[in-house]
Amino acid sequence: MKYFQNDLAIGLVATALATSYILILTFLLSDTHIAFLSTNSRWIVNANSGRRVKLACINWPGHMNPLVPEGLHKKPLRNITKDIATMGFNCVRLTWATEMFTNKAYANLTVAQSLERWNLTVIDALGHENLMVILDNHVSFPIWCCDWNDGNGFFKDLHFHPVEWVQGLSTVAKLYKGNPTVVAISLRNELRGPRQNEFDWYQFMEEDVLVIVSGLSFETDLTFLRQRKLNFGVNVNNKLVYEAHWYAFADPPEKWIFSTNEFCAEITEWFMSQTGYVIYERSPTPIFLSEFGKDQNGASEAENRYFICVMALLADKDLEWALWAMQGSYYLREGQVEWEEPYGMYSFAWDKIRNSSILQLMELNQQMIQDPTSEYASYYAMYHPQTGRCVSVNKNNVTTSSCHRLQRWGFEYDENGSRITLVGTSGCLTVVADKAPVKVTGDCSSQKSTWKFVSKSKMHLAARDEKGMDLCLEWDSLNSTIVTNKCLCLGDDLGDLPWCSQNPQTQWFKLILTNKHY
Ligand SMILES: *[C@@H]1O[C@H](CO)[C@@H](O)[C@H](O)[C@H]1NC(C)=O
Ligand SMILES: *[C@@H]1O[C@H](CO)[C@@H](O)[C@H](O)[C@H]1NC(C)=O
Ligand SMILES: *[C@@H]1O[C@H](CO)[C@@H](O)[C@H](O)[C@H]1NC(C)=O
Ligand SMILES: *[C@@H]1O[C@H](CO)[C@@H](O)[C@H](O)[C@H]1NC(C)=O
Ligand SMILES: *[C@@H]1O[C@H](CO)[C@@H](O)[C@H](O)[C@H]1NC(C)=O
Ligand SMILES: *[C@@H]1O[C@H](CO)[C@@H](O)[C@H](O)[C@H]1NC(C)=O
Ligand SMILES: *[C@@H]1O[C@H](CO)[C@@H](O)[C@H](O)[C@H]1NC(C)=O
């Protein structure tokens, strides 16, 4: 992760959505809850059973100056790992620096020895909670990542010696080979350069390496893959995963605030065309959104809105992801002791969850939404990303509830629009009147039950009332019910002044195709 360096504006723009190469490699794992991973089309799967394994991860940095995963002075290791599992994550992206494994001075660090002597082995403790671990080679020289000129960025930079990098990967690969908790290694954040001949380390791995390669350019994306696929010189079939990052700190905040609707649509489209498209290629590949996040103190309204936009996309495509981040603070960051991480799930003191509404927002995305090997019939969940809840019906009260137990909706469209049906009944979602609660009725053919997506974000659903006025579904938090109301901010695109002063996200609903069984 990178941000806030004043002199980095250009770099940030370039990298806000920078892609990273990752070479993910898995190990031959014994009979555990995970076994080793593989890919099948755009999905990551258990290589034995072929069943999908969804990654819903949290980042936990271990790559910084002290060379120890953050927070062990704040909270007992086992409490941290337990918390991670309790929060609903199933995996940790644990970042490491190459020199941790190659620099002799570090290799003999007593802190590492003493941690181990006391059985404070982070990976084992994570494994104890059935969490999967992705070892992420974040930097070579252990410091905060990623400054434009930190010498860690590219092959042959001051600290980034290709041979040493390979050596570090090989050491780590050997160290954790056969460890059932470690399911993947990502090669490097934002690696670039077509140096396939550097992948000699692969020889150390021999089998079952999830290799995912594509992006060559830090500044751009994965789009060049359309022209030329990378050749590893080894068989990486069914082992390749791509990685992308998406933060809001390079975006002008006013776009998120005053044109929320249009900007979400625009950025989502950009993400999909730059990186996400790989899931739809002729040979589809999984994409792992391995870093995204926001100030969890809610200090930035722009980031609050961005986060909801990201949640809608993640649910819609059911992508693999890793939130930045777990830590409430760093031992040391950029020269400052006890640097607070406002993006962290933990508070500064690591004694409580910073903002539990974030967990609520992630609830649907922590689940497997699409299970490609399930025979269970597909239906739609009606997701309201602003609250993280899903639309349900209780005695004809159309409200929201936890996305763990989904109300099944049908979505039938023809040339005039769509009907939103309650699966298993003959009922349809129907407008009653302006500002009144929406109802499920038997009137499925009138304009009051004919819904259209009326905004560019494709998250406003409108139907006409008797007077022919378009009314949008809206979450009414005062009455805890879904009403229909005047559609908000439909024309809030950047050229369309004045910008919208309301928050249209209260009216965002996404129909999510799922075959989740429970
Ligand atoms: C760690 O967990 C134990 C057992 O649940 C609990 O008693 C203890 O208070 C926790 N310690 C901290 C610092 O959270
Ligand atoms: C660490 O120290 C021991 C004993 O002093 C030495 O044998 C070993 O080679 C050192 N390891 C490295 C990587 O330098
Ligand atoms: C660490 O684990 C080993 C093996 O399980 C055990 O023998 C040893 O007693 C443990 N040490 C401590 C300090 O708990
Ligand atoms: C918590 O997060 C929510 C959702 O992003 C945000 O709206 C709110 O401002 C945050 N609240 C606090 C107290 O941090
Ligand atoms: C679409 O609307 C037109 C005009 O109201 C109507 O004649 C037609 O039957 C409708 N089509 C369907 C599939 O309902
Ligand atoms: C919703 O709540 C508002 C304010 O509490 C109230 O005036 C209004 O009548 C309620 N609407 C419905 C449909 O219950
Ligand atoms: C609808 O359901 C919600 C959630 O259970 C509840 O809070 C609300 O009071 C209900 N409204 C009506 C009108 O029954």
Side-chain angles (χ1 to χ4, degrees), residues 23-30 32 34-38 47-48 133-135 169-186 201 204-210 239:
L23 184 57
I24 286 197
L25 50 103
T26 56
F27 303 87
L28 188 57
L29 301 173
S30 49
T32 69
I34 294 302
F36 62 87
L37 301 183
S38 182
N48 292 330
V133 171
I134 294 169
L135 293 174
L169 283 169
S170 303
T171 303
V172 167
K174 274 186 272 186
L175 259 178
Y176 295 106
K177 184 174 170 132
N179 185 323
T181 300
V182 176
V183 296
I185 291 183
S186 60
W201 62 272
F204 291 104
M205 301 315 308
E206 299 148 359
E207 69 258 16
D208 299 319
V209 220
L210 248 210
K239 295 296 177 188

mmCIF file of all heavy atoms in Angstrom, residues 23-30 32 34-38 47-48 133-135 169-186 201 204-210 239:
data_model
loop_
_atom_site.group_PDB
_atom_site.id
_atom_site.type_symbol
_atom_site.label_atom_id
_atom_site.label_comp_id
_atom_site.label_asym_id
_atom_site.label_seq_id
_atom_site.Cartn_x
_atom_site.Cartn_y
_atom_site.Cartn_z
ATOM 1 N N LEU A 23 2.829 -13.964 -8.910
ATOM 2 C CA LEU A 23 3.080 -15.314 -9.246
ATOM 3 C C LEU A 23 2.648 -16.014 -7.988
ATOM 4 O O LEU A 23 3.253 -15.865 -6.966
ATOM 5 C CB LEU A 23 4.563 -15.474 -9.493
ATOM 6 C CG LEU A 23 4.977 -16.822 -9.948
ATOM 7 C CD1 LEU A 23 4.235 -17.197 -11.202
ATOM 8 C CD2 LEU A 23 6.446 -16.793 -10.238
ATOM 9 N N ILE A 24 1.567 -16.668 -8.069
ATOM 10 C CA ILE A 24 1.101 -17.341 -6.871
ATOM 11 C C ILE A 24 1.500 -18.781 -6.982
ATOM 12 O O ILE A 24 1.337 -19.395 -8.010
ATOM 13 C CB ILE A 24 -0.415 -17.224 -6.735
ATOM 14 C CG1 ILE A 24 -0.755 -15.805 -6.309
ATOM 15 C CG2 ILE A 24 -0.937 -18.217 -5.747
ATOM 16 C CD1 ILE A 24 -2.129 -15.670 -5.752
ATOM 17 N N LEU A 25 2.076 -19.270 -5.953
ATOM 18 C CA LEU A 25 2.415 -20.658 -6.059
ATOM 19 C C LEU A 25 1.875 -21.382 -4.852
ATOM 20 O O LEU A 25 1.894 -20.887 -3.758
ATOM 21 C CB LEU A 25 3.906 -20.847 -6.184
ATOM 22 C CG LEU A 25 4.771 -20.129 -5.180
ATOM 23 C CD1 LEU A 25 5.219 -21.131 -4.161
ATOM 24 C CD2 LEU A 25 5.942 -19.511 -5.870
ATOM 25 N N THR A 26 1.365 -22.502 -5.119
ATOM 26 C CA THR A 26 0.834 -23.266 -4.010
ATOM 27 C C THR A 26 1.732 -24.462 -3.790
ATOM 28 O O THR A 26 2.575 -24.777 -4.604
ATOM 29 C CB THR A 26 -0.576 -23.767 -4.301
ATOM 30 O OG1 THR A 26 -0.526 -24.515 -5.485
ATOM 31 C CG2 THR A 26 -1.528 -22.635 -4.442
ATOM 32 N N PHE A 27 1.499 -25.084 -2.699
ATOM 33 C CA PHE A 27 2.350 -26.183 -2.336
ATOM 34 C C PHE A 27 1.530 -27.438 -2.262
ATOM 35 O O PHE A 27 0.332 -27.398 -2.063
ATOM 36 C CB PHE A 27 2.991 -25.905 -0.991
ATOM 37 C CG PHE A 27 3.757 -24.627 -1.000
ATOM 38 C CD1 PHE A 27 3.126 -23.424 -0.731
ATOM 39 C CD2 PHE A 27 5.084 -24.631 -1.342
ATOM 40 C CE1 PHE A 27 3.830 -22.247 -0.772
ATOM 41 C CE2 PHE A 27 5.784 -23.447 -1.383
ATOM 42 C CZ PHE A 27 5.165 -22.257 -1.101
ATOM 43 N N LEU A 28 2.216 -28.498 -2.402
ATOM 44 C CA LEU A 28 1.542 -29.769 -2.258
ATOM 45 C C LEU A 28 1.183 -29.898 -0.790
ATOM 46 O O LEU A 28 2.029 -29.956 0.069
ATOM 47 C CB LEU A 28 2.478 -30.891 -2.672
ATOM 48 C CG LEU A 28 1.813 -32.252 -2.755
ATOM 49 C CD1 LEU A 28 0.639 -32.208 -3.717
ATOM 50 C CD2 LEU A 28 2.811 -33.284 -3.174
ATOM 51 N N LEU A 29 -0.078 -29.891 -0.532
ATOM 52 C CA LEU A 29 -0.489 -29.836 0.861
ATOM 53 C C LEU A 29 -1.072 -31.158 1.291
ATOM 54 O O LEU A 29 -1.680 -31.879 0.517
ATOM 55 C CB LEU A 29 -1.515 -28.720 1.038
ATOM 56 C CG LEU A 29 -0.989 -27.351 0.637
ATOM 57 C CD1 LEU A 29 -2.099 -26.331 0.674
ATOM 58 C CD2 LEU A 29 0.140 -26.931 1.538
ATOM 59 N N SER A 30 -0.885 -31.403 2.546
ATOM 60 C CA SER A 30 -1.408 -32.648 3.091
ATOM 61 C C SER A 30 -2.918 -32.550 3.234
ATOM 62 O O SER A 30 -3.524 -31.553 2.885
ATOM 63 C CB SER A 30 -0.750 -32.908 4.430
ATOM 64 O OG SER A 30 -0.822 -31.743 5.207
ATOM 65 N N THR A 32 -5.759 -31.421 4.573
ATOM 66 C CA THR A 32 -6.190 -30.410 5.524
ATOM 67 C C THR A 32 -7.496 -29.853 5.014
ATOM 68 O O THR A 32 -8.055 -30.323 4.044
ATOM 69 C CB THR A 32 -5.193 -29.250 5.569
ATOM 70 O OG1 THR A 32 -5.284 -28.564 4.325
ATOM 71 C CG2 THR A 32 -3.804 -29.744 5.771
ATOM 72 N N ILE A 34 -7.800 -27.253 3.470
ATOM 73 C CA ILE A 34 -7.609 -26.527 2.230
ATOM 74 C C ILE A 34 -7.128 -27.418 1.088
ATOM 75 O O ILE A 34 -7.635 -27.351 -0.002
ATOM 76 C CB ILE A 34 -6.600 -25.376 2.429
ATOM 77 C CG1 ILE A 34 -7.200 -24.346 3.382
ATOM 78 C CG2 ILE A 34 -6.263 -24.709 1.113
ATOM 79 C CD1 ILE A 34 -8.510 -23.774 2.905
ATOM 80 N N ALA A 35 -6.171 -28.270 1.370
ATOM 81 C CA ALA A 35 -5.442 -28.944 0.315
ATOM 82 C C ALA A 35 -4.868 -27.871 -0.601
ATOM 83 O O ALA A 35 -4.937 -26.707 -0.275
ATOM 84 C CB ALA A 35 -6.327 -29.904 -0.470
ATOM 85 N N PHE A 36 -4.296 -28.216 -1.730
ATOM 86 C CA PHE A 36 -3.706 -27.129 -2.482
ATOM 87 C C PHE A 36 -4.689 -26.536 -3.471
ATOM 88 O O PHE A 36 -5.686 -27.147 -3.825
ATOM 89 C CB PHE A 36 -2.378 -27.532 -3.119
ATOM 90 C CG PHE A 36 -2.470 -28.636 -4.111
ATOM 91 C CD1 PHE A 36 -2.755 -28.359 -5.444
ATOM 92 C CD2 PHE A 36 -2.221 -29.958 -3.731
ATOM 93 C CE1 PHE A 36 -2.807 -29.381 -6.364
ATOM 94 C CE2 PHE A 36 -2.281 -30.976 -4.654
ATOM 95 C CZ PHE A 36 -2.576 -30.689 -5.967
ATOM 96 N N LEU A 37 -4.357 -25.347 -3.878
ATOM 97 C CA LEU A 37 -5.275 -24.608 -4.727
ATOM 98 C C LEU A 37 -4.839 -24.668 -6.168
ATOM 99 O O LEU A 37 -3.675 -24.846 -6.481
ATOM 100 C CB LEU A 37 -5.357 -23.149 -4.282
ATOM 101 C CG LEU A 37 -5.805 -22.898 -2.852
ATOM 102 C CD1 LEU A 37 -5.901 -21.407 -2.595
ATOM 103 C CD2 LEU A 37 -7.125 -23.588 -2.581
ATOM 104 N N SER A 38 -5.804 -24.465 -6.996
ATOM 105 C CA SER A 38 -5.563 -24.510 -8.416
ATOM 106 C C SER A 38 -6.570 -23.540 -9.025
ATOM 107 O O SER A 38 -7.345 -22.927 -8.291
ATOM 108 C CB SER A 38 -5.804 -25.965 -8.835
ATOM 109 O OG SER A 38 -5.561 -26.152 -10.169
ATOM 110 N N ALA A 47 -7.714 -28.156 -5.483
ATOM 111 C CA ALA A 47 -7.221 -28.986 -6.577
ATOM 112 C C ALA A 47 -7.676 -30.435 -6.453
ATOM 113 O O ALA A 47 -7.704 -31.156 -7.443
ATOM 114 C CB ALA A 47 -5.697 -28.911 -6.642
ATOM 115 N N ASN A 48 -8.026 -30.851 -5.252
ATOM 116 C CA ASN A 48 -8.499 -32.232 -5.091
ATOM 117 C C ASN A 48 -9.962 -32.365 -5.465
ATOM 118 O O ASN A 48 -10.338 -33.200 -6.273
ATOM 119 C CB ASN A 48 -8.340 -32.690 -3.636
ATOM 120 C CG ASN A 48 -6.893 -32.819 -3.266
ATOM 121 O OD1 ASN A 48 -6.056 -33.108 -4.119
ATOM 122 N ND2 ASN A 48 -6.593 -32.586 -2.008
ATOM 123 N N VAL A 133 -3.145 -18.615 4.233
ATOM 124 C CA VAL A 133 -2.156 -17.536 4.212
ATOM 125 C C VAL A 133 -1.588 -17.382 2.810
ATOM 126 O O VAL A 133 -1.208 -18.360 2.168
ATOM 127 C CB VAL A 133 -1.014 -17.801 5.220
ATOM 128 C CG1 VAL A 133 0.110 -16.784 5.041
ATOM 129 C CG2 VAL A 133 -1.547 -17.755 6.650
ATOM 130 N N ILE A 134 -1.554 -16.145 2.363
ATOM 131 C CA ILE A 134 -0.884 -15.792 1.117
ATOM 132 C C ILE A 134 0.338 -14.985 1.499
ATOM 133 O O ILE A 134 0.209 -13.937 2.133
ATOM 134 C CB ILE A 134 -1.814 -14.957 0.219
ATOM 135 C CG1 ILE A 134 -2.993 -15.824 -0.233
ATOM 136 C CG2 ILE A 134 -1.053 -14.396 -0.976
ATOM 137 C CD1 ILE A 134 -4.096 -15.034 -0.896
ATOM 138 N N LEU A 135 1.512 -15.486 1.176
ATOM 139 C CA LEU A 135 2.734 -14.764 1.512
ATOM 140 C C LEU A 135 3.035 -13.791 0.386
ATOM 141 O O LEU A 135 3.313 -14.195 -0.740
ATOM 142 C CB LEU A 135 3.884 -15.754 1.709
ATOM 143 C CG LEU A 135 3.740 -16.659 2.932
ATOM 144 C CD1 LEU A 135 4.851 -17.702 2.955
ATOM 145 C CD2 LEU A 135 3.748 -15.846 4.225
ATOM 146 N N LEU A 169 12.617 -15.678 -2.734
ATOM 147 C CA LEU A 169 11.419 -16.481 -3.038
ATOM 148 C C LEU A 169 11.691 -17.961 -2.829
ATOM 149 O O LEU A 169 10.858 -18.690 -2.290
ATOM 150 C CB LEU A 169 10.985 -16.245 -4.489
ATOM 151 C CG LEU A 169 10.248 -14.935 -4.768
ATOM 152 C CD1 LEU A 169 10.125 -14.711 -6.265
ATOM 153 C CD2 LEU A 169 8.870 -14.948 -4.123
ATOM 154 N N SER A 170 12.887 -18.362 -3.244
ATOM 155 C CA SER A 170 13.221 -19.782 -3.123
ATOM 156 C C SER A 170 13.299 -20.191 -1.661
ATOM 157 O O SER A 170 12.811 -21.251 -1.269
ATOM 158 C CB SER A 170 14.564 -20.062 -3.798
ATOM 159 O OG SER A 170 14.510 -19.659 -5.139
ATOM 160 N N THR A 171 13.916 -19.312 -0.859
ATOM 161 C CA THR A 171 14.032 -19.612 0.571
ATOM 162 C C THR A 171 12.660 -19.737 1.205
ATOM 163 O O THR A 171 12.374 -20.681 1.948
ATOM 164 C CB THR A 171 14.832 -18.492 1.270
ATOM 165 O OG1 THR A 171 16.089 -18.379 0.630
ATOM 166 C CG2 THR A 171 15.024 -18.793 2.743
ATOM 167 N N VAL A 172 11.814 -18.774 0.889
ATOM 168 C CA VAL A 172 10.471 -18.785 1.463
ATOM 169 C C VAL A 172 9.697 -20.011 0.974
ATOM 170 O O VAL A 172 9.011 -20.682 1.750
ATOM 171 C CB VAL A 172 9.743 -17.479 1.096
ATOM 172 C CG1 VAL A 172 8.266 -17.575 1.379
ATOM 173 C CG2 VAL A 172 10.354 -16.334 1.886
ATOM 174 N N ALA A 173 9.867 -20.290 -0.299
ATOM 175 C CA ALA A 173 9.165 -21.439 -0.864
ATOM 176 C C ALA A 173 9.589 -22.720 -0.154
ATOM 177 O O ALA A 173 8.766 -23.555 0.211
ATOM 178 C CB ALA A 173 9.450 -21.537 -2.355
ATOM 179 N N LYS A 174 10.900 -22.834 0.089
ATOM 180 C CA LYS A 174 11.390 -24.045 0.746
ATOM 181 C C LYS A 174 10.941 -24.094 2.202
ATOM 182 O O LYS A 174 10.573 -25.134 2.716
ATOM 183 C CB LYS A 174 12.921 -24.124 0.653
ATOM 184 C CG LYS A 174 13.377 -24.777 -0.650
ATOM 185 C CD LYS A 174 14.877 -25.005 -0.687
ATOM 186 C CE LYS A 174 15.580 -23.782 -1.244
ATOM 187 N NZ LYS A 174 17.011 -23.941 -1.461
ATOM 188 N N LEU A 175 10.987 -22.922 2.842
ATOM 189 C CA LEU A 175 10.603 -22.851 4.255
ATOM 190 C C LEU A 175 9.174 -23.321 4.477
ATOM 191 O O LEU A 175 8.867 -23.984 5.459
ATOM 192 C CB LEU A 175 10.694 -21.396 4.732
ATOM 193 C CG LEU A 175 11.901 -20.962 5.530
ATOM 194 C CD1 LEU A 175 11.789 -19.480 5.847
ATOM 195 C CD2 LEU A 175 12.035 -21.774 6.809
ATOM 196 N N TYR A 176 8.297 -22.941 3.572
ATOM 197 C CA TYR A 176 6.874 -23.184 3.819
ATOM 198 C C TYR A 176 6.290 -24.289 2.962
ATOM 199 O O TYR A 176 5.108 -24.561 3.032
ATOM 200 C CB TYR A 176 6.094 -21.882 3.663
ATOM 201 C CG TYR A 176 6.497 -20.885 4.719
ATOM 202 C CD1 TYR A 176 7.296 -19.796 4.410
ATOM 203 C CD2 TYR A 176 6.117 -21.080 6.047
ATOM 204 C CE1 TYR A 176 7.700 -18.907 5.398
ATOM 205 C CE2 TYR A 176 6.510 -20.206 7.039
ATOM 206 C CZ TYR A 176 7.302 -19.116 6.711
ATOM 207 O OH TYR A 176 7.694 -18.253 7.688
ATOM 208 N N LYS A 177 7.143 -24.887 2.175
ATOM 209 C CA LYS A 177 6.655 -25.991 1.365
ATOM 210 C C LYS A 177 6.091 -27.077 2.275
ATOM 211 O O LYS A 177 6.711 -27.462 3.258
ATOM 212 C CB LYS A 177 7.795 -26.564 0.518
ATOM 213 C CG LYS A 177 7.324 -27.655 -0.417
ATOM 214 C CD LYS A 177 8.445 -28.092 -1.338
ATOM 215 C CE LYS A 177 7.998 -29.339 -2.075
ATOM 216 N NZ LYS A 177 8.246 -29.254 -3.499
ATOM 217 N N GLY A 178 4.917 -27.531 1.959
ATOM 218 C CA GLY A 178 4.317 -28.574 2.775
ATOM 219 C C GLY A 178 3.569 -28.033 3.976
ATOM 220 O O GLY A 178 2.915 -28.772 4.687
ATOM 221 N N ASN A 179 3.666 -26.739 4.214
ATOM 222 C CA ASN A 179 2.900 -26.140 5.308
ATOM 223 C C ASN A 179 1.475 -25.919 4.818
ATOM 224 O O ASN A 179 1.236 -25.131 3.898
ATOM 225 C CB ASN A 179 3.542 -24.807 5.713
ATOM 226 C CG ASN A 179 2.863 -24.189 6.925
ATOM 227 O OD1 ASN A 179 1.646 -24.273 7.068
ATOM 228 N ND2 ASN A 179 3.652 -23.578 7.785
ATOM 229 N N PRO A 180 0.521 -26.612 5.403
ATOM 230 C CA PRO A 180 -0.838 -26.589 4.848
ATOM 231 C C PRO A 180 -1.517 -25.231 4.951
ATOM 232 O O PRO A 180 -2.514 -25.001 4.289
ATOM 233 C CB PRO A 180 -1.576 -27.632 5.690
ATOM 234 C CG PRO A 180 -0.794 -27.735 6.951
ATOM 235 C CD PRO A 180 0.630 -27.443 6.597
ATOM 236 N N THR A 181 -0.980 -24.364 5.774
ATOM 237 C CA THR A 181 -1.634 -23.062 5.947
ATOM 238 C C THR A 181 -1.310 -22.116 4.800
ATOM 239 O O THR A 181 -2.108 -21.276 4.422
ATOM 240 C CB THR A 181 -1.205 -22.454 7.291
ATOM 241 O OG1 THR A 181 -1.601 -23.354 8.324
ATOM 242 C CG2 THR A 181 -1.845 -21.110 7.523
ATOM 243 N N VAL A 182 -0.106 -22.270 4.254
ATOM 244 C CA VAL A 182 0.324 -21.354 3.199
ATOM 245 C C VAL A 182 -0.214 -21.855 1.859
ATOM 246 O O VAL A 182 0.193 -22.902 1.379
ATOM 247 C CB VAL A 182 1.858 -21.249 3.164
ATOM 248 C CG1 VAL A 182 2.310 -20.373 2.009
ATOM 249 C CG2 VAL A 182 2.365 -20.697 4.489
ATOM 250 N N VAL A 183 -1.124 -21.103 1.288
ATOM 251 C CA VAL A 183 -1.744 -21.568 0.046
ATOM 252 C C VAL A 183 -1.176 -20.882 -1.181
ATOM 253 O O VAL A 183 -1.405 -21.318 -2.301
ATOM 254 C CB VAL A 183 -3.278 -21.366 0.052
ATOM 255 C CG1 VAL A 183 -3.922 -22.215 1.140
ATOM 256 C CG2 VAL A 183 -3.647 -19.898 0.213
ATOM 257 N N ALA A 184 -0.478 -19.775 -0.983
ATOM 258 C CA ALA A 184 -0.018 -19.040 -2.159
ATOM 259 C C ALA A 184 1.107 -18.096 -1.789
ATOM 260 O O ALA A 184 1.241 -17.684 -0.646
ATOM 261 C CB ALA A 184 -1.171 -18.237 -2.753
ATOM 262 N N ILE A 185 1.907 -17.783 -2.796
ATOM 263 C CA ILE A 185 2.911 -16.733 -2.629
ATOM 264 C C ILE A 185 2.725 -15.757 -3.769
ATOM 265 O O ILE A 185 2.640 -16.164 -4.926
ATOM 266 C CB ILE A 185 4.344 -17.299 -2.673
ATOM 267 C CG1 ILE A 185 4.618 -18.156 -1.440
ATOM 268 C CG2 ILE A 185 5.352 -16.164 -2.749
ATOM 269 C CD1 ILE A 185 6.042 -18.676 -1.384
ATOM 270 N N SER A 186 2.606 -14.480 -3.423
ATOM 271 C CA SER A 186 2.556 -13.530 -4.525
ATOM 272 C C SER A 186 3.958 -12.991 -4.716
ATOM 273 O O SER A 186 4.650 -12.640 -3.769
ATOM 274 C CB SER A 186 1.533 -12.432 -4.285
ATOM 275 O OG SER A 186 1.829 -11.713 -3.131
ATOM 276 N N TRP A 201 13.585 -19.846 -9.854
ATOM 277 C CA TRP A 201 13.136 -20.306 -8.531
ATOM 278 C C TRP A 201 12.019 -21.326 -8.647
ATOM 279 O O TRP A 201 11.800 -22.134 -7.775
ATOM 280 C CB TRP A 201 12.667 -19.127 -7.692
ATOM 281 C CG TRP A 201 11.508 -18.446 -8.330
ATOM 282 C CD1 TRP A 201 11.548 -17.455 -9.239
ATOM 283 C CD2 TRP A 201 10.148 -18.767 -8.127
ATOM 284 N NE1 TRP A 201 10.284 -17.148 -9.635
ATOM 285 C CE2 TRP A 201 9.414 -17.923 -8.960
ATOM 286 C CE3 TRP A 201 9.476 -19.687 -7.324
ATOM 287 C CZ2 TRP A 201 8.032 -17.976 -9.023
ATOM 288 C CZ3 TRP A 201 8.101 -19.737 -7.386
ATOM 289 C CH2 TRP A 201 7.396 -18.881 -8.231
ATOM 290 N N PHE A 204 12.650 -24.794 -7.870
ATOM 291 C CA PHE A 204 12.639 -25.258 -6.491
ATOM 292 C C PHE A 204 11.271 -25.798 -6.096
ATOM 293 O O PHE A 204 11.130 -26.496 -5.124
ATOM 294 C CB PHE A 204 13.018 -24.122 -5.542
ATOM 295 C CG PHE A 204 14.442 -23.719 -5.656
ATOM 296 C CD1 PHE A 204 14.796 -22.561 -6.311
ATOM 297 C CD2 PHE A 204 15.434 -24.516 -5.110
ATOM 298 C CE1 PHE A 204 16.113 -22.189 -6.415
ATOM 299 C CE2 PHE A 204 16.760 -24.132 -5.211
ATOM 300 C CZ PHE A 204 17.108 -22.976 -5.860
ATOM 301 N N MET A 205 10.310 -25.365 -6.808
ATOM 302 C CA MET A 205 8.961 -25.668 -6.397
ATOM 303 C C MET A 205 8.424 -26.950 -7.012
ATOM 304 O O MET A 205 7.658 -27.669 -6.418
ATOM 305 C CB MET A 205 8.027 -24.530 -6.780
ATOM 306 C CG MET A 205 8.424 -23.230 -6.178
ATOM 307 S SD MET A 205 8.825 -23.470 -4.451
ATOM 308 C CE MET A 205 7.372 -24.320 -3.920
ATOM 309 N N GLU A 206 8.843 -27.186 -8.217
ATOM 310 C CA GLU A 206 8.461 -28.371 -8.979
ATOM 311 C C GLU A 206 6.965 -28.475 -9.211
ATOM 312 O O GLU A 206 6.495 -28.365 -10.312
ATOM 313 C CB GLU A 206 8.930 -29.658 -8.286
ATOM 314 C CG GLU A 206 10.415 -29.709 -8.141
ATOM 315 C CD GLU A 206 10.858 -30.457 -6.906
ATOM 316 O OE1 GLU A 206 10.001 -30.919 -6.149
ATOM 317 O OE2 GLU A 206 12.075 -30.560 -6.718
ATOM 318 N N GLU A 207 6.230 -28.671 -8.143
ATOM 319 C CA GLU A 207 4.852 -29.024 -8.411
ATOM 320 C C GLU A 207 3.871 -27.988 -7.872
ATOM 321 O O GLU A 207 4.149 -27.259 -6.941
ATOM 322 C CB GLU A 207 4.532 -30.391 -7.812
ATOM 323 C CG GLU A 207 4.501 -30.397 -6.328
ATOM 324 C CD GLU A 207 5.768 -30.991 -5.733
ATOM 325 O OE1 GLU A 207 6.747 -31.109 -6.464
ATOM 326 O OE2 GLU A 207 5.751 -31.298 -4.563
ATOM 327 N N ASP A 208 2.729 -27.979 -8.456
ATOM 328 C CA ASP A 208 1.579 -27.303 -7.879
ATOM 329 C C ASP A 208 1.784 -25.835 -7.622
ATOM 330 O O ASP A 208 1.381 -25.310 -6.598
ATOM 331 C CB ASP A 208 1.174 -27.996 -6.589
ATOM 332 C CG ASP A 208 0.795 -29.417 -6.892
ATOM 333 O OD1 ASP A 208 0.131 -29.599 -7.911
ATOM 334 O OD2 ASP A 208 1.185 -30.299 -6.136
ATOM 335 N N VAL A 209 2.460 -25.205 -8.509
ATOM 336 C CA VAL A 209 2.645 -23.792 -8.335
ATOM 337 C C VAL A 209 1.534 -23.044 -9.042
ATOM 338 O O VAL A 209 1.330 -23.206 -10.218
ATOM 339 C CB VAL A 209 3.986 -23.342 -8.931
ATOM 340 C CG1 VAL A 209 4.621 -22.329 -8.032
ATOM 341 C CG2 VAL A 209 4.866 -24.525 -9.159
ATOM 342 N N LEU A 210 0.810 -22.260 -8.258
ATOM 343 C CA LEU A 210 -0.220 -21.414 -8.860
ATOM 344 C C LEU A 210 0.502 -20.237 -9.468
ATOM 345 O O LEU A 210 0.842 -19.310 -8.770
ATOM 346 C CB LEU A 210 -1.127 -20.860 -7.770
ATOM 347 C CG LEU A 210 -2.571 -21.208 -7.563
ATOM 348 C CD1 LEU A 210 -3.268 -20.019 -6.954
ATOM 349 C CD2 LEU A 210 -3.260 -21.641 -8.812
ATOM 350 N N LYS A 239 -2.732 -22.449 -12.641
ATOM 351 C CA LYS A 239 -2.092 -21.948 -11.432
ATOM 352 C C LYS A 239 -1.991 -20.427 -11.433
ATOM 353 O O LYS A 239 -1.376 -19.849 -10.553
ATOM 354 C CB LYS A 239 -0.682 -22.532 -11.295
ATOM 355 C CG LYS A 239 -0.649 -24.026 -11.080
ATOM 356 C CD LYS A 239 -1.305 -24.414 -9.766
ATOM 357 C CE LYS A 239 -1.327 -25.914 -9.596
ATOM 358 N NZ LYS A 239 -2.120 -26.323 -8.421
#
